[in-house]
């Protein structure tokens, strides 16, 4: 059995950092996918009015607009 909970702040942070790396590399499709995954995790962990969640929602939205270009 693994002690790692897939719905943890550490996993969300790691996925967020991966999204940021993909964005820096210009792979906006992978970045968008990773932002969505991080957002899904954070939505389970944070309250809906959390500033951290709002920031992540904004990052995800921006990544989607980059993919659409």
């Amino acid at each position: 059995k693994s002690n790692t909970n897939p719905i943890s702040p550490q996993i969300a942070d790691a996925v967020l950092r991966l999204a940021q790396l993909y964005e820096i590399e210009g792979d906006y499709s992978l970045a968008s996918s990773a932002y969505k995954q991080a957002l899904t995790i954070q939505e389970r962990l944070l309250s809906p009015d959390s500033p951290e969640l709002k920031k992540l929602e904004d990052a995800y939205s921006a990544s989607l607009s980059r993919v659409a270009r």
Side-chain angles (χ1 to χ4, degrees):
K1 254 183 169 176
S2 173
N3 290 333
T4 305
N5 180 353
I7 310 294
S8 73
Q10 294 83 7
I11 298 295
D13 187 54
V15 175
L16 176 58
R17 290 176 189 269
L18 186 60
Q20 293 166 336
L21 177 63
Y22 287 144
E23 197 168 45
I24 290 167
E25 292 178 344
D27 194 332
Y28 300 118
S29 180
L30 282 176
S32 179
S33 178
Y35 276 123
K36 176 61 177 166
Q37 186 177 4
L39 181 59
T40 299
I41 295 168
Q42 290 290 41
E43 285 173 336
R44 294 181 179 180
L45 298 171
L46 302 173
S47 68
D49 59 344
S50 165
E52 293 90 10
L53 190 58
K54 174 64 174 145
K55 185 176 176 182
L56 186 52
E57 289 169 342
D58 290 346
Y60 176 57
S61 178
S63 74
L64 287 176
S65 68
R66 288 185 193 95
V67 171
R69 288 184 197 170

